[in-house]
Amino acid sequence: MGLGTFFKNLFGSSKEKAAEVAENVEDFARENYEKAKVNAAPIIDKAEEYLEQAKEKAAPILEKAEEYAEVAKEKAIDAYETVKEKVTDFVDEAHAKKEQTVDFVELKAEETKEAVAEKTEEVQEAVEEKIHAAEEKAVEVKETISEKVAEAEETLEEKAIRTETEIQRAADEIGD
């Protein structure tokens, strides 16, 4: 009866440990996933803030370019074609810079999204690896315990046979 209880406790404990390890790994995965989400939020917010700042900075430049065009037109009717070319170039350049800035901010926002996605994937892969390693370790522990139990059974059987043989021999000697 004591041996059965021993094995029952031994196997029950292993199952509990494996379940506990799996639960710890799952908790670890959840925590890191949540941390990745929390860490990504400020980056995305910052990218949106940069986009807004770029738009705000480009708007006054565009307004000023249009104002300069009007003033130049009124003051220099004689040199209208020359002023028109310069103002047009200036406006085009302002538009080009605005577009470059918006493109740059959009690119950085996309890169940030991709980086966050990669980090999320890395964390997920790391967690999956830990889970897999824990499962493998649980299998190894189970196999080791099975081997030890089999060895213990063999040893107990051998001792039981020897004891039985000794008892028989003692009984035979007493009977003689």
Side-chain angles (χ1 to χ4, degrees):
M1 192 67 147
L3 185 60
T5 303
F6 168 76
F7 289 125
K8 187 173 186 180
N9 288 341
L10 187 61
F11 286 122
S13 175
S14 295
K15 287 179 183 177
E16 289 171 7
K17 290 289 184 193
E20 185 179 312
V21 167
E23 186 176 315
N24 288 342
V25 169
E26 186 176 334
D27 290 345
F28 175 77
R30 277 195 199 106
E31 277 182 34
N32 283 320
Y33 178 73
E34 290 302 320
K35 285 179 185 175
K37 282 177 31 180
V38 168
N39 289 338
I43 294 170
I44 292 170
D45 290 344
K46 200 67 169 175
E48 289 173 354
E49 184 180 313
Y50 287 143
L51 179 61
E52 282 302 314
Q53 288 176 358
K55 286 180 180 179
E56 288 173 10
K57 288 181 181 179
I61 293 171
L62 182 58
E63 286 177 21
K64 283 187 181 192
E66 291 171 358
E67 287 174 16
Y68 288 137
E70 288 298 317
V71 170
K73 184 178 177 184
E74 290 173 7
K75 287 185 178 182
I77 294 175
D78 298 345
Y80 174 73
E81 288 300 317
T82 306
V83 172
K84 182 180 173 185
E85 286 179 24
K86 288 183 180 184
V87 170
T88 302
D89 290 345
F90 183 73
V91 170
D92 289 345
E93 186 178 319
H95 281 293
K97 285 185 179 185
K98 179 187 118 192
E99 289 176 11
Q100 287 174 346
T101 303
V102 169
D103 289 346
F104 176 77
V105 170
E106 287 174 349
L107 175 68
K108 289 300 177 187
E110 185 62 32
E111 287 175 357
T112 301
K113 276 175 132 177
E114 289 173 6
V116 167
E118 286 177 21
K119 285 294 181 188
T120 302
E121 285 179 25
E122 289 175 14
V123 167
Q124 187 175 1
E125 288 175 8
V127 168
E128 287 173 0
E129 287 176 15
K130 297 268 186 205
I131 290 170
H132 181 68
E135 288 172 346
E136 286 180 353
K137 191 66 177 175
V139 168
E140 287 177 21
V141 167
K142 180 182 175 188
E143 289 173 358
T144 302
I145 290 172
S146 294
E147 289 173 8
K148 294 295 181 187
V149 167
E151 289 175 11
E153 285 176 348
E154 288 177 20
T155 302
L156 288 173
E157 259 183 56
E158 290 172 4
K159 286 184 179 182
I161 291 171
R162 270 189 263 154
T163 302
E164 189 178 318
T165 304
E166 288 178 20
I167 290 172
Q168 188 62 39
R169 189 178 310 141
D172 289 344
E173 285 179 9
I174 291 174
D176 285 341

